[in-house]
Amino acid sequence: MRPNESIVVINAGSSSIKFSLYSGAQLELTFRGKIENLYSGITHFAAVDAQENSIGERHWAEAPLDHEAAMRFLFEFADSHLDGHQVVAVGHRIVHGGVHYSGPRRLDGAVLAQLEKLIPLAPLHLPHNLAPVRAMMALAPELPQVGCFDTAFHVGQPAAAQSFALPQRITGQGVRRYGFHGLSYEYIALSLPTVDATLAQARVVAAHLGNGASMCAIHAGRSVASTMGFTAVDGLPMGTRCGALDPGVVLYLIDELGMSVAAVQKMLYQESGLLGVSGIASDMRTLEQSSDPRARQAIDLMVYRIGRELGSLSAALGGLDALVFSGGIGENSASLRAAVCAQAAWLGVQLDASANAASGHGIRRISADSSRVAVWVVPANEELMIAQHTQDLLEPL
Ligand code: ADP
């Protein structure tokens, strides 16, 4: 890419769109921002430059925006803040690529039609990821658009890691483990060897702990197992999602308690996890600051379940060389990292308490020199991964 060329990255959820602009061959972050409260409440937009200085803010008090109107606004905002740059492509985060999309893809009408067929696999996320793609195709039909899939990094997992023990008439219809947060894990897998070359071949467990949380076993840079499965509700307890659950519970809720499918879905996705257990909040910062014993109970359960999954993923790897923390909680909560590492002492994990407590930016090692397992904090950067993929697709070697 030339110095004056830029890539826009769009990460759209059900009620918000995050966007970033990367410029030049080095993909320098130029500005980034977020438009939130789509569809309900007061839609709010804010953007900052690379130095975190505000470059724009707006509220829509009259009526909330939808995805299409938000994309129109962002398009105009980007256009008026390009400062001589030219947008050459848009990269989109797309939660599900099914079994066929094992890497980023140029998006056109035909690919979009195939992706729409996957909506039943991710009804809560995929429509929101695709809406901005369609809006951009209408706004700028000539502008290349690239889809980057959260499932793609996991496509090569061994068959056993992808399988449910269900009849083939069901698994044959795509009911299998896909895994998510793949762009975050791919970024971690690519970043580790830049700080320690031996990690290129290592057995790594990475924990992406944000509002959504999962863990992934990575061997020599490739995903071999992950805690999220068919949907992003499996695995760890999250902000509001329950994580792994005996399927018998779902049957009980419907059959015995008479809950509707919609009510069960709402409970498992929006009312469980840290929020459900604590009854206080889904936000880790709030829980850590609370003296209510239920807040501690929710954090303890999360730590316990991270420890159980760490054991399981280490078994899938046949051992453990490195443990990585990422995501809002993984990057910022020294106390959660300390609790997880204390619990993982049996695996050879030994934290350097002062390195763990020190606030820092960028990739940093927080394990003791004598630790058999290296422990790292890697700030999540899915957006940069999307920008890189988009650039690579535009400029094939
Ligand atoms: P998302 O999955 O929506 O991208 P993030 O990766 O931003 O979410 O993570 C949000 C979570 O990170 C929240 O639970 C928040 O409380 C937690 N978090 C952010 N900063 C801190 C902090 N300093 N200490 C503890 N938790 C934090």
Coordinates of all heavy atoms in Angstrom, one line a residue, residues 126-184:
L126 N -24.3 -12.8 13.1 CA -23.9 -12.7 11.6 C -24.8 -11.6 10.9 O -24.2 -10.9 10.1 CB -24.1 -14.1 11.0 CG -23.4 -14.3 9.6 CD1 -22.0 -13.8 9.6 CD2 -23.5 -15.7 9.2
P127 N -26.1 -11.5 11.2 CA -26.8 -10.4 10.4 C -26.2 -9.0 10.7 O -26.2 -8.2 9.8 CB -28.2 -10.5 11.0 CG -28.3 -11.9 11.6 CD -26.9 -12.2 12.1
H128 N -25.7 -8.8 11.9 CA -25.1 -7.5 12.2 C -23.8 -7.3 11.5 O -23.4 -6.2 11.3 CB -25.0 -7.3 13.7 CG -26.3 -7.7 14.4 ND1 -27.5 -7.0 14.2 CD2 -26.6 -8.6 15.3 CE1 -28.4 -7.5 14.9 NE2 -27.9 -8.5 15.6
N129 N -23.1 -8.4 11.3 CA -21.8 -8.3 10.6 C -22.0 -8.0 9.1 O -21.2 -7.3 8.5 CB -21.0 -9.6 10.7 CG -20.7 -10.0 12.1 OD1 -20.4 -11.2 12.3 ND2 -20.7 -9.1 13.1
L130 N -23.1 -8.6 8.6 CA -23.3 -8.5 7.1 C -24.0 -7.2 6.7 O -23.8 -6.7 5.6 CB -24.1 -9.7 6.6 CG -23.4 -11.0 6.8 CD1 -24.3 -12.2 6.3 CD2 -22.0 -11.1 6.2
A131 N -24.8 -6.6 7.7 CA -25.5 -5.3 7.3 C -24.5 -4.2 6.9 O -24.8 -3.6 5.8 CB -26.3 -4.9 8.5
P132 N -23.4 -4.0 7.5 CA -22.5 -2.9 7.0 C -21.8 -3.3 5.7 O -21.5 -2.4 4.9 CB -21.4 -2.9 8.1 CG -22.0 -3.5 9.3 CD -22.9 -4.5 8.8
V133 N -21.7 -4.6 5.4 CA -21.1 -5.0 4.1 C -22.0 -4.6 3.0 O -21.7 -3.9 2.0 CB -20.9 -6.5 4.1 CG1 -20.3 -6.9 2.7 CG2 -20.0 -7.0 5.2
R134 N -23.3 -4.9 3.2 CA -24.3 -4.5 2.2 C -24.4 -3.0 2.1 O -24.5 -2.5 1.0 CB -25.7 -5.1 2.6 CG -26.3 -5.8 1.5 CD -27.6 -6.5 1.9 NE -27.3 -7.8 2.6 CZ -27.6 -8.0 3.9 NH1 -28.1 -7.1 4.6 NH2 -27.3 -9.2 4.4
A135 N -24.4 -2.3 3.2 CA -24.5 -0.8 3.2 C -23.3 -0.3 2.4 O -23.4 0.6 1.6 CB -24.5 -0.3 4.6
M136 N -22.1 -0.8 2.6 CA -20.9 -0.3 1.9 C -20.9 -0.6 0.4 O -20.5 0.2 -0.4 CB -19.6 -0.9 2.5 CG -19.1 -0.3 3.8 SD -19.0 1.5 3.7 CE -17.7 1.7 2.5
M137 N -21.5 -1.8 0.1 CA -21.6 -2.1 -1.3 C -22.5 -1.1 -2.1 O -22.2 -0.8 -3.2 CB -22.2 -3.6 -1.5 CG -21.1 -4.6 -1.3 SD -21.8 -6.3 -1.5 CE -20.4 -7.3 -1.3
A138 N -23.5 -0.7 -1.3 CA -24.4 0.3 -2.0 C -23.8 1.7 -2.0 O -23.9 2.4 -3.0 CB -25.7 0.4 -1.2
L139 N -23.0 2.1 -0.9 CA -22.4 3.4 -0.9 C -21.2 3.5 -1.8 O -21.0 4.6 -2.4 CB -21.9 3.7 0.6 CG -23.0 4.0 1.6 CD1 -22.3 4.0 3.0 CD2 -23.5 5.4 1.3
A140 N -20.4 2.5 -1.9 CA -19.2 2.6 -2.8 C -19.0 1.2 -3.5 O -18.2 0.4 -3.0 CB -18.0 2.9 -1.9
P141 N -19.8 1.0 -4.5 CA -19.8 -0.3 -5.2 C -18.4 -0.7 -5.7 O -18.1 -1.9 -5.8 CB -20.7 -0.2 -6.4 CG -21.5 1.1 -6.1 CD -20.7 1.9 -5.2
E142 N -17.5 0.2 -6.0 CA -16.2 -0.1 -6.6 C -15.1 -0.4 -5.5 O -14.1 -1.0 -5.8 CB -15.6 1.1 -7.4 CG -16.5 1.5 -8.5 CD -16.9 0.4 -9.4 OE1 -16.1 -0.5 -9.7 OE2 -18.1 0.3 -9.9
L143 N -15.4 -0.1 -4.2 CA -14.5 -0.3 -3.2 C -14.4 -1.7 -2.8 O -15.4 -2.3 -2.4 CB -14.9 0.6 -2.0 CG -13.9 0.9 -0.9 CD1 -12.7 1.6 -1.5 CD2 -14.5 1.8 0.2
P144 N -13.2 -2.3 -2.8 CA -13.0 -3.7 -2.4 C -13.4 -3.9 -1.0 O -13.0 -3.1 -0.1 CB -11.6 -4.1 -2.7 CG -11.1 -3.0 -3.6 CD -11.9 -1.8 -3.3
Q145 N -14.1 -5.0 -0.7 CA -14.4 -5.3 0.7 C -14.0 -6.7 1.0 O -14.1 -7.6 0.2 CB -15.9 -5.3 0.9 CG -16.5 -3.9 0.4 CD -17.7 -3.6 1.2 OE1 -17.8 -3.7 2.4 NE2 -18.7 -3.1 0.5
V146 N -13.4 -6.9 2.2 CA -12.8 -8.2 2.6 C -13.5 -8.7 3.9 O -13.6 -7.9 4.8 CB -11.3 -8.0 2.7 CG1 -10.7 -9.3 3.3 CG2 -10.7 -7.7 1.4
G147 N -13.8 -9.9 3.9 CA -14.4 -10.5 5.1 C -13.3 -11.3 5.9 O -12.6 -12.1 5.2
C148 N -13.2 -11.1 7.2 CA -12.2 -11.9 8.0 C -13.1 -12.6 9.0 O -13.8 -12.0 9.8 CB -11.2 -10.9 8.6 SG -10.3 -10.0 7.4
F149 N -12.9 -13.9 9.1 CA -13.8 -14.7 9.9 C -13.2 -15.2 11.2 O -12.1 -15.6 11.3 CB -14.2 -16.0 9.1 CG -14.8 -15.6 7.7 CD1 -14.0 -15.6 6.6 CD2 -16.1 -15.2 7.6 CE1 -14.5 -15.2 5.4 CE2 -16.6 -14.8 6.4 CZ -15.8 -14.8 5.2
D150 N -14.1 -15.1 12.3 CA -13.6 -15.5 13.6 C -13.4 -17.0 13.7 O -12.8 -17.5 14.6 CB -14.6 -15.0 14.7 CG -14.3 -13.7 15.2 OD1 -13.1 -13.5 15.5 OD2 -15.2 -12.8 15.3
T151 N -14.1 -17.7 12.8 CA -14.0 -19.2 12.8 C -12.7 -19.7 12.0 O -12.3 -20.8 12.2 CB -15.2 -19.8 12.2 OG1 -15.5 -19.1 10.9 CG2 -16.4 -19.7 13.1
A152 N -12.2 -18.8 11.1 CA -11.2 -19.3 10.1 C -10.0 -20.0 10.8 O -9.5 -21.0 10.3 CB -10.8 -18.2 9.2
F153 N -9.5 -19.3 11.8 CA -8.2 -19.8 12.5 C -8.4 -21.2 13.0 O -7.4 -22.0 13.2 CB -7.9 -18.9 13.6 CG -6.6 -19.1 14.3 CD1 -5.4 -19.1 13.6 CD2 -6.5 -19.5 15.6 CE1 -4.1 -19.4 14.2 CE2 -5.3 -19.7 16.2 CZ -4.1 -19.7 15.5
H154 N -9.6 -21.6 13.3 CA -9.9 -23.0 13.9 C -10.2 -24.1 12.9 O -10.3 -25.2 13.2 CB -11.0 -22.9 14.9 CG -10.8 -21.8 15.9 ND1 -9.8 -21.9 16.9 CD2 -11.5 -20.7 16.2 CE1 -9.9 -20.8 17.7 NE2 -10.9 -20.1 17.3
V155 N -10.3 -23.7 11.6 CA -10.8 -24.6 10.6 C -9.9 -25.9 10.5 O -10.4 -27.0 10.3 CB -10.9 -24.0 9.2 CG1 -11.0 -25.0 8.1 CG2 -12.1 -23.0 9.2
G156 N -8.6 -25.8 10.8 CA -7.7 -26.9 10.7 C -7.6 -27.8 11.9 O -6.7 -28.7 12.0
Q157 N -8.4 -27.5 12.9 CA -8.3 -28.4 14.1 C -8.5 -29.8 13.8 O -9.3 -30.2 12.9 CB -9.4 -28.0 15.1 CG -9.2 -26.7 15.9 CD -10.3 -26.3 16.9 OE1 -11.3 -27.0 17.0 NE2 -10.1 -25.2 17.6
P158 N -7.9 -30.7 14.6 CA -8.1 -32.2 14.4 C -9.6 -32.5 14.4 O -10.4 -31.8 15.2 CB -7.4 -32.9 15.6 CG -6.5 -31.8 16.1 CD -7.0 -30.5 15.8
A159 N -10.0 -33.5 13.7 CA -11.5 -33.9 13.6 C -12.1 -34.1 15.0 O -13.2 -33.6 15.3 CB -11.6 -35.1 12.8
A160 N -11.4 -34.7 15.9 CA -11.9 -35.0 17.2 C -12.3 -33.7 18.0 O -13.3 -33.6 18.7 CB -11.0 -35.9 18.1
A161 N -11.4 -32.7 17.8 CA -11.6 -31.4 18.5 C -12.9 -30.7 17.9 O -13.4 -29.9 18.6 CB -10.4 -30.5 18.3
Q162 N -13.3 -31.1 16.7 CA -14.4 -30.4 16.1 C -15.7 -31.1 16.2 O -16.7 -30.6 15.8 CB -14.1 -30.2 14.6 CG -12.9 -29.4 14.3 CD -12.7 -29.2 12.8 OE1 -13.1 -30.0 12.0 NE2 -12.0 -28.1 12.4
S163 N -15.6 -32.3 16.8 CA -16.8 -33.2 16.8 C -17.6 -33.2 18.1 O -17.1 -33.1 19.2 CB -16.3 -34.6 16.5 OG -15.6 -34.7 15.3
F164 N -18.9 -33.3 17.9 CA -19.8 -33.7 19.0 C -20.1 -35.1 18.8 O -20.2 -35.6 17.7 CB -21.1 -32.9 18.9 CG -21.0 -31.4 19.2 CD1 -21.4 -30.5 18.2 CD2 -20.5 -30.9 20.4 CE1 -21.3 -29.1 18.5 CE2 -20.4 -29.6 20.6 CZ -20.8 -28.7 19.7
A165 N -20.4 -35.8 20.0 CA -20.8 -37.2 19.9 C -22.3 -37.3 19.7 O -23.1 -37.8 20.5 CB -20.4 -37.9 21.2
L166 N -22.7 -36.8 18.5 CA -24.1 -36.8 18.1 C -24.2 -37.7 16.9 O -23.3 -38.0 16.2 CB -24.6 -35.4 17.8 CG -24.7 -34.5 19.0 CD1 -25.0 -33.0 18.5 CD2 -25.8 -34.9 19.9
P167 N -25.5 -38.2 16.6 CA -25.6 -39.0 15.3 C -25.2 -38.2 14.1 O -25.3 -37.0 14.0 CB -27.1 -39.2 15.3 CG -27.6 -39.0 16.7 CD -26.7 -38.0 17.3
Q168 N -24.7 -38.9 13.1 CA -24.2 -38.3 11.9 C -25.2 -37.5 11.1 O -24.9 -36.6 10.4 CB -23.5 -39.4 11.0 CG -22.3 -39.9 11.6 CD -21.2 -40.3 10.6 OE1 -21.5 -40.3 9.4 NE2 -20.0 -40.7 11.1
R169 N -26.5 -37.9 11.3 CA -27.5 -37.2 10.5 C -27.6 -35.8 11.0 O -28.1 -34.9 10.3 CB -28.9 -37.9 10.6 CG -29.5 -37.9 12.0 CD -30.9 -38.6 12.0 NE -31.5 -38.4 13.4 CZ -31.2 -39.2 14.4 NH1 -30.4 -40.2 14.2 NH2 -31.8 -39.0 15.6
I170 N -27.1 -35.5 12.3 CA -27.1 -34.2 12.8 C -25.8 -33.5 12.5 O -25.7 -32.4 12.0 CB -27.4 -34.2 14.3 CG1 -28.7 -34.9 14.7 CG2 -27.3 -32.8 14.9 CD1 -29.9 -34.2 14.1
T171 N -24.7 -34.2 12.8 CA -23.3 -33.6 12.6 C -23.1 -33.3 11.1 O -22.4 -32.3 10.8 CB -22.2 -34.5 13.2 OG1 -22.3 -35.8 12.6 CG2 -22.3 -34.6 14.7
G172 N -23.7 -34.1 10.3 CA -23.6 -33.9 8.8 C -24.2 -32.6 8.4 O -24.0 -32.2 7.2
Q173 N -25.0 -32.0 9.2 CA -25.7 -30.8 8.8 C -24.9 -29.6 9.4 O -25.4 -28.5 9.5 CB -27.1 -30.7 9.4 CG -28.0 -31.8 8.8 CD -29.4 -31.7 9.4 OE1 -30.0 -30.6 9.5 NE2 -29.9 -32.8 9.9
G174 N -23.7 -29.8 9.8 CA -22.8 -28.7 10.2 C -22.9 -28.4 11.7 O -22.4 -27.4 12.2
V175 N -23.5 -29.4 12.5 CA -23.6 -29.2 13.9 C -22.3 -29.8 14.5 O -22.1 -31.0 14.7 CB -24.8 -29.9 14.5 CG1 -24.8 -29.7 16.1 CG2 -26.1 -29.4 13.9
R176 N -21.3 -28.9 14.7 CA -20.0 -29.3 15.1 C -19.3 -28.1 15.8 O -19.9 -27.0 15.9 CB -19.1 -29.7 13.9 CG -19.4 -28.8 12.7 CD -18.3 -28.9 11.7 NE -17.3 -27.9 12.1 CZ -16.1 -27.7 11.4 NH1 -15.8 -28.4 10.4 NH2 -15.3 -26.7 11.8
R177 N -18.2 -28.3 16.4 CA -17.5 -27.2 17.1 C -16.7 -26.4 16.0 O -16.0 -26.9 15.2 CB -16.5 -27.8 18.1 CG -17.2 -28.6 19.2 CD -16.1 -29.2 20.1 NE -15.5 -28.0 20.8 CZ -16.0 -27.4 21.9 NH1 -17.1 -27.9 22.4 NH2 -15.3 -26.4 22.4
Y178 N -17.0 -25.1 16.0 CA -16.3 -24.2 15.1 C -15.2 -23.4 15.8 O -14.1 -23.3 15.3 CB -17.3 -23.2 14.5 CG -18.2 -23.9 13.5 CD1 -19.5 -24.3 13.9 CD2 -17.9 -24.1 12.2 CE1 -20.3 -25.0 13.0 CE2 -18.7 -24.7 11.3 CZ -19.9 -25.2 11.7 OH -20.8 -25.8 10.8
G179 N -15.5 -22.9 17.0 CA -14.6 -22.0 17.7 C -14.6 -20.6 17.2 O -15.0 -20.4 16.0
F180 N -14.4 -19.6 18.1 CA -14.5 -18.2 17.7 C -13.3 -17.4 18.3 O -12.3 -18.0 18.7 CB -15.8 -17.6 18.2 CG -17.0 -18.3 17.6 CD1 -17.6 -19.5 18.2 CD2 -17.5 -17.9 16.4 CE1 -18.6 -20.1 17.7 CE2 -18.6 -18.6 15.8 CZ -19.1 -19.7 16.4
H181 N -13.4 -16.1 18.2 CA -12.2 -15.2 18.6 C -11.0 -15.6 17.8 O -9.8 -15.3 18.3 CB -11.9 -15.4 20.1 CG -12.9 -14.7 21.0 ND1 -13.2 -15.2 22.3 CD2 -13.5 -13.5 20.9 CE1 -14.1 -14.4 22.8 NE2 -14.3 -13.3 22.0
G182 N -11.1 -16.1 16.6 CA -10.0 -16.6 15.8 C -9.1 -15.5 15.4 O -7.8 -15.7 15.3
L183 N -9.6 -14.3 15.2 CA -8.7 -13.2 14.7 C -7.8 -12.8 15.9 O -6.6 -12.4 15.7 CB -9.5 -12.0 14.2 CG -10.3 -12.3 12.9 CD1 -11.5 -11.4 12.7 CD2 -9.3 -12.3 11.7
S184 N -8.4 -12.8 17.1 CA -7.5 -12.5 18.3 C -6.4 -13.5 18.4 O -5.3 -13.2 18.7 CB -8.4 -12.4 19.5 OG -7.7 -12.2 20.7

